[in-house]
Amino acid sequence: MARKLLLCILIFFISFPTNVFGIKLESNYIDVKLGSSKHISDIITLYSDNGFLLYEKYDLGQDIEKVYENKIYVMGNDYGEVIILDDDFEILTTIPGDGSIVIGNGTVYESLVQVEENKYRDYITFIIKDKAISVINHINIENYLYGVVPKEMSASFPLEALKAQAIVARSFAYVNINAHKKDGYNLCDTTHCQVYGAFDNEHRTTNQAVNETYGQYVSYNGKVISANYHSNSGGYTEDSSNVWSQSLPYLTAIEDPFSKNAPNSSWTFTMSTSEIKSKLIAAGINIGEIMDMEIIETSESNRVLSIKIVGSMGEKIIKGSDLRNILGLTTLKSTLFTVYKEGGNQNSKVYVIDANSIYPREINLNYAYILDGKNHIGVNRSSVSRAKGVDRTSTVGSTYVSQPDRFVFNGKGYGHGVGMSQYGAMEMANQGYNYYDIITHYYNGVEILNLGK
Ligand SMILES: [Zn+2]
């Protein structure tokens, strides 16, 4: 159903350059929320060297009002309207709080409006909801990409890698155009959607990459795809079904030698047992002192699908991706890791003499009764354990297992591993591959189409 809808959107893009789904498609304008919302009583300052022109959002050809000020203040009122004030806090005009009126620079060419410290291309508008005011950048999608590409990939990367990034970012924007529809805009400017920076963050090379791939997007069977990407695959990308439970034929796991020997292709990360415990508790998992971690299941690319965390008060099996979220996405950089414990007393061996032998033999603690300090048999291991014979009267061995001091993670890659590896793209470009080679390497069975103009 979703794919059919996307196809419809694209057909509309190509065939009916009119107003579809609230987006003015003949000019490809989208609404991007800038930063977090403020309270309606907060003052937002806008600057322009040429004054401001107000337009109806869907009729940018003719301004409806001119404001002869280089600095204006904006705030909301209790009626859900946006008040525009001059430098002396005199009200200049009031516009609806639904984003239907947009504010541009006083010149019609290369409109830049400064909001607080940052300049943005095209137009600014505001949406008021529940006493909160959001600043929205009403912007041409290609201009939006000027702000995304340098935020999502270093502008120092080779041009063909930047072009691949521009195309996947454009595809991602098309697919996720309704990500924030319920709040009245299209995309946010954070990693939730794609990171979008102000005009001042633009770079010559990234703008060139956007220009040279104008309108191009990644397509599978004629439909635009969610062209996911990440920093470094660690040598093997991941199947989308292992990350988002949705199997997609173009997001399959592939071997990726290009990502080796690049930043974060391998890493080590150590976290203290007490910090892991507090992070787990913050995530609603309280299993006492953390005694051990055991990888239960890995994917085809060796990423951790599930891991068992053994605590003094119980065990918990969680997804590898959940462990990343809990411990930190920038510290546990991928789920392509192994883990071992360090420090503390790890002597957990138990020796018994049973009826069939006269010499002590080692038994696996997992198959022995574990008693707590009150001689109760329990499934949970506490820091001190004693094993009893099956008659439950004589102690046949004892052991002491203290919590480890820390856990050491050895890993490869950075990010979820699905789709294009950005460092892999860099290496491919350095080896002479072009953006088409890069995209068809990372996305299985795709082609690059152009919206056409
Ligand atoms: Zn978002």
Side-chain angles (χ1 to χ4, degrees):
M1 184 60 200
R3 283 191 201 165
K4 273 187 186 159
L5 191 63
L6 288 172
L7 180 63
C8 289
I9 293 172
L10 278 178
I11 290 171
F12 276 112
F13 261 100
I14 295 159
S15 315
F16 301 97
T18 50
N19 204 345
V20 180
F21 300 122
I23 308 159
K24 192 172 188 182
L25 296 178
E26 78 264 33
S27 49
N28 283 342
Y29 277 81
I30 58 170
D31 288 339
V32 181
K33 183 187 175 189
L34 304 175
S36 350
S37 303
K38 294 180 163 64
H39 190 266
I40 50 167
S41 61
D42 291 339
I43 291 167
I44 300 160
T45 313
L46 267 57
Y47 304 87
S48 159
D49 292 339
N50 310 297
F52 300 90
L53 290 171
L54 275 57
Y55 303 83
E56 288 186 21
K57 186 195 271 185
Y58 299 119
D59 188 9
L60 297 172
Q62 180 59 54
D63 63 274
I64 54 171
E65 194 171 342
K66 184 166 172 71
V67 174
Y68 296 93
E69 300 281 341
N70 293 339
K71 177 183 180 185
I72 53 176
Y73 297 122
V74 175
M75 59 190 294
N77 68 16
D78 288 335
Y79 307 105
E81 296 166 325
V82 177
I83 313 165
I84 297 173
L85 309 118
D86 68 12
D87 223 354
D88 301 318
F89 289 92
E90 297 288 334
I91 294 178
L92 293 167
T93 187
T94 301
I95 60 176
D98 60 1
S100 60
I101 303 295
V102 299
I103 302 169
N105 180 310
T107 59
V108 285
Y109 302 107
E110 283 281 291
S111 173
L112 285 177
V113 176
Q114 184 175 338
V115 183
E116 304 295 351
E117 265 96 66
N118 296 309
K119 292 192 184 78
Y120 293 92
R121 287 179 182 268
D122 296 338
Y123 308 93
I124 295 296
T125 186
F126 303 90
I127 291 177
I128 295 177
K129 200 173 177 182
D130 302 329
K131 308 270 179 203
I133 183 165
S134 301
V135 183
I136 305 291
N137 192 183
H138 184 61
I139 185 168
N140 178 285
I141 196 159
E142 297 291 323
N143 287 345
Y144 159 75
L145 292 171
Y146 289 153
V148 170
V149 177
K151 280 289 181 180
E152 293 285 355
M153 183 179 267
S154 166
S156 66
F157 274 30
L159 183 62
E160 292 301 314
L162 294 173
K163 284 159 78 173
Q165 179 66 52
I167 292 170
V168 297
R170 187 181 290 108
S171 309
F172 188 93
Y174 287 151
V175 169
N176 293 287
I177 205 78
N178 288 323
H180 293 281
K181 193 182 178 189
K182 67 172 173 51
D183 295 316
Y185 55 94
N186 301 113
L187 301 167
C188 68
D189 65 352
T190 73
T191 52
H192 174 267
C193 289
Q194 296 188 113
V195 181
Y196 165 66
F199 175 76
D200 297 320
N201 295 112
E202 289 182 12
H203 197 277
R204 183 184 54 81
T205 55
T206 48
N207 283 11
Q208 184 185 353
V210 173
N211 292 340
E212 291 186 9
T213 60
Y214 186 92
Q216 293 183 41
Y217 61 94
V218 191
S219 150
Y220 185 86
N221 280 348
K223 299 164 200 167
V224 62
I225 65 162
S226 179
N228 300 94
Y229 52 90
H230 60 278
S231 179
N232 186 320
S233 73
Y236 216 108
T237 70
E238 181 61 304
D239 194 292
S240 64
S241 63
N242 290 327
V243 179
W244 299 299
S245 325
Q246 189 186 8
S247 185
L248 297 165
Y250 43 84
L251 293 177
T252 52
I254 56 139
E255 209 174 334
D256 182 27
F258 303 106
S259 288
K260 293 175 178 168
N261 306 317
N264 292 313
S265 57
S266 67
W267 46 265
T268 296
F269 156 60
T270 303
M271 191 176 265
S272 72
T273 309
S274 56
E275 192 175 355
I276 293 173
K277 178 190 173 186
S278 61
K279 283 179 182 293
L280 285 168
I281 289 174
I285 300 170
N286 188 357
I287 50 173
E289 303 304 325
I290 308 305
M291 309 303 287
D292 209 353
M293 290 195 198
E294 187 186 334
I295 292 166
I296 301 291
E297 192 189 1
T298 55
S299 69
E300 180 192 349
S301 68
N302 267 330
R303 284 180 168 76
V304 174
L305 295 179
S306 60
I307 184 165
K308 178 161 79 177
I309 304 167
V310 181
S312 59
M313 289 160 49
E315 299 176 347
K316 180 88 179 169
I317 294 175
I318 62 171
K319 290 203 271 185
S321 53
D322 288 341
L323 187 66
R324 268 196 84 204
N325 284 321
I326 292 166
L327 299 188
L329 295 171
T330 57
T331 43
L332 189 58
K333 290 178 176 169
S334 78
T335 55
L336 188 49
F337 66 80
T338 56
V339 59
Y340 63 89
K341 56 190 174 183
E342 264 189 0
N345 183 351
Q346 304 308 324
N347 176 21
S348 60
K349 289 174 181 171
V350 177
Y351 296 91
V352 295
I353 300 174
D354 64 21
N356 299 318
S357 65
I358 56 169
Y359 299 108
R361 69 182 174 91
E362 189 183 323
I363 63 164
N364 187 329
L365 197 60
N366 291 335
Y367 301 110
Y369 291 111
I370 308 300
L371 305 188
D372 64 17
K374 292 175 181 169
N375 261 10
H376 293 144
I377 294 172
V379 292
N380 301 327
R381 290 176 221 177
S382 56
S383 59
V384 178
S385 303
R386 284 179 296 138
K388 277 205 157 192
V390 288
D391 62 0
R392 299 189 185 182
T393 57
S394 57
T395 299
V396 294
S398 68
T399 182
Y400 177 75
V401 182
S402 69
Q403 70 179 103
D405 296 330
R406 66 197 85 88
F407 286 86
V408 181
F409 299 84
N410 284 313
K412 288 180 177 171
Y414 196 172
H416 52 58
V418 178
M420 185 179 81
S421 161
Q422 292 172 309
Y423 275 103
M426 178 193 77
E427 180 57 23
M428 284 187 78
N430 282 337
Q431 291 186 20
Y433 293 98
N434 65 25
Y435 72 88
Y436 179 85
D437 300 326
I438 294 169
I439 285 173
T440 51
H441 169 65
Y442 287 108
Y443 305 99
N444 181 39
V446 300
E447 53 187 343
I448 295 172
L449 299 182
N450 196 320
L451 278 184
K453 278 248 165 173

